[in-house]
Amino acid sequence: MSGFGQPIYTCDGMVWYMKKFLYSKKMELMMRILAGIAIVLLLSIDVLKFFGFLNSNEGKIDFETLKLIIANFFVAVLFAFVLIYPHKFGLIAIACFYYAVPITEKTINPMNILMFSLALLILNVRGFFLKHIKVKIILLSLALFAMQCTRLRFGINFFVDGFINDIGYSLVFLSGIFFTYVFAVRNVEPTKKILNVAEYEGLKEADADMLRRVLDNQQYKMIAIDFNQKEGSIRNRLNKIYDTLGCADRIGFLTMYTGFQIVYEPIITTSVTSEESIALETEESLQSQSI
């Protein structure tokens, strides 16, 4: 039993394991592969569009094609960062938002809602909604409405038709997520929300104290003052701790362990010596003979 009180149980074990997988080495490899494929596809499309743009015989500048080339190049740069720093997969959300706007503006297509929803899911996993939730939800709702308003230039009928369709697509998408989550929760064993730092090789009790302060949203500068160390030393030490825990960085740690108790309880192992083993065997033998 923990010295910090009763262990906390939760039914969202599946969610936590999914978050842990997102910062694992396998996921880093998958992100790098995804980013590499995306870069090749985007730059290939840009090259084809660019040569088509140069060979145009109309003598006019096709601004739509030019915008697409610039957009693809910008997104390719984002994926290049993900290729180098796979734990920064939150950048993919920017790409989703970036493509959702032109799709919404010109067509009535469920892809815009899928892109927007995917961006929200990525931001949520990356810890975007850990603080100031209400403010961020309001701002994102206003952004979505502003995105819808871009259809007004094609007429009120196009706007209303697109708005109603997007609401329908959103309800279907959210319903799917909700029922998937309910199914996952009902089929997962309860998980103790306790992180025992002593279970990780190389981590000390002071590291657990640092992590508690990180969960309290203390800045590295304040932690350094409390530990009488330089801010750079604290930052470097915490980066090593994050890597040991498999959560990559501060945001990853907050995403995975917010709501957890941070404890340091060394696991005491008892070993039986050879003399004790012989004594036990002798005692068992005598007992069997007496029977």
Side-chain angles (χ1 to χ4, degrees), residues 32-51:
R32 284 194 167 102
I33 293 173
L34 173 64
I37 293 173
I39 291 170
V40 171
L41 290 175
L42 289 168
L43 293 183
S44 298
I45 293 172
D46 265 7
V47 169
L48 293 174
K49 292 286 185 182
F50 183 72
F51 280 108

Side-chain angles (χ1 to χ4, degrees), residues 165-277:
N165 275 276
D166 284 350
I167 291 176
Y169 297 141
S170 300
L171 290 174
V172 172
F173 184 74
L174 292 174
S175 297
I177 293 177
F178 173 75
F179 287 112
T180 302
Y181 176 77
V182 170
F183 175 79
V185 166
R186 290 178 61 184
N187 288 276
V188 174
E189 293 294 325
T191 302
K192 292 182 180 180
K193 297 190 74 173
I194 296 176
L195 171 62
N196 186 5
V197 176
E199 294 178 358
Y200 294 85
E201 186 178 355
L203 299 189
K204 305 174 182 177
E205 189 168 2
D207 298 329
D209 195 13
M210 287 186 194
L211 292 175
R212 292 189 201 102
R213 294 166 189 268
V214 172
L215 284 183
D216 289 337
N217 288 315
Q218 287 191 21
Q219 299 298 320
Y220 290 159
K221 184 177 180 180
M222 298 304 299
I223 298 175
I225 292 173
D226 291 340
F227 279 82
N228 196 26
Q229 295 185 30
K230 293 182 179 179
E231 182 180 350
S233 300
I234 293 294
R235 187 181 299 275
N236 290 336
R237 179 57 188 171
L238 281 169
N239 284 335
K240 290 180 180 179
I241 296 172
Y242 298 147
D243 187 60
T244 301
L245 295 177
C247 51
D249 58 5
R250 181 189 179 108
I251 296 176
F253 172 73
L254 290 173
T255 301
M256 290 173 58
Y257 293 105
T258 293
F260 274 60
Q261 286 181 301
I262 308 296
V263 301
Y264 186 86
E265 297 179 348
I267 300 173
I268 301 174
T269 57
T270 57
S271 58
V272 180
T273 62
S274 58
E275 292 180 358
E276 291 174 337
S277 178

Side-chain angles (χ1 to χ4, degrees), residues 14-127:
M14 175 69 83
V15 177
W16 185 82
Y17 282 117
M18 288 174 65
K19 289 179 179 179
K20 190 172 181 65
F21 175 72
L22 284 171
Y23 292 95
S24 65
K25 296 298 182 183
K26 290 182 179 179
M27 191 62 184
E28 284 188 0
L29 178 60
M30 290 172 62
M31 282 292 175
R32 284 194 167 102
I33 293 173
L34 173 64
I37 293 173
I39 291 170
V40 171
L41 290 175
L42 289 168
L43 293 183
S44 298
I45 293 172
D46 265 7
V47 169
L48 293 174
K49 292 286 185 182
F50 183 72
F51 280 108
F53 177 76
L54 292 178
N55 296 328
S56 177
N57 297 321
E58 297 179 2
K60 297 181 181 180
I61 298 176
D62 187 353
F63 286 104
E64 292 299 321
T65 302
L66 189 60
K67 283 166 57 178
L68 179 61
I69 292 173
I70 295 172
N72 286 345
F73 181 77
F74 172 73
V75 174
V77 172
L78 292 178
F79 274 107
F81 276 101
V82 176
L83 183 66
I84 300 171
Y85 307 105
H87 61 278
K88 301 286 187 183
F89 57 85
L91 293 171
I92 299 176
I94 299 176
C96 292
F97 284 132
Y98 200 66
Y99 282 128
V101 175
I103 294 173
T104 303
E105 180 184 6
K106 298 176 184 178
T107 62
I108 299 175
N109 190 324
M111 185 57 72
N112 68 325
I113 291 298
L114 291 176
M115 284 283 190
F116 195 86
S117 301
L118 178 60
L120 294 182
L121 289 174
I122 293 172
L123 290 176
N124 181 48
V125 172
R126 189 62 181 139

